[in-house]
Amino acid sequence: MTRTPFDELVHRLNNLLGTIEIQAELAASDGSLPAHQQALALIVESARKTQDEVRRLRGQQAGRDG
């Protein structure tokens, strides 16, 4: 089944939110600086992937509109 651009965006945003939630909980339960640093690194990585996906989807939309 092919997802619409909107469905792809919602999926990617859901992944980002899940990463933020899980990593924050793991870092808080560990409490150490390395755990917090690792959590932030994973959150930033997920955010960048989301940004890339948004750019890709916007490019597809611009191609349809133009």
Side-chain angles (χ1 to χ4, degrees):
M1 180 173 125
T2 303
R3 288 190 232 186
T4 67
F6 177 78
D7 291 337
E8 289 183 39
L9 178 59
V10 169
H11 176 75
R12 186 64 231 160
L13 289 172
N14 191 52
N15 286 348
L16 173 60
L17 294 172
T19 298
I20 292 167
E21 181 179 13
I22 290 167
Q23 292 304 317
E25 288 175 2
L26 289 172
S29 69
D30 182 282
S32 69
L33 179 58
H36 283 78
Q37 290 170 324
Q38 181 180 9
L40 287 173
L42 291 169
I43 290 167
V44 168
E45 178 184 343
S46 185
R48 288 181 178 152
K49 287 179 182 178
T50 302
Q51 288 174 327
D52 290 344
E53 185 69 9
V54 168
R55 283 187 203 103
R56 184 182 71 77
L57 293 170
R58 290 183 81 188
Q60 284 180 358
Q61 186 64 39
R64 288 189 197 116
D65 293 342

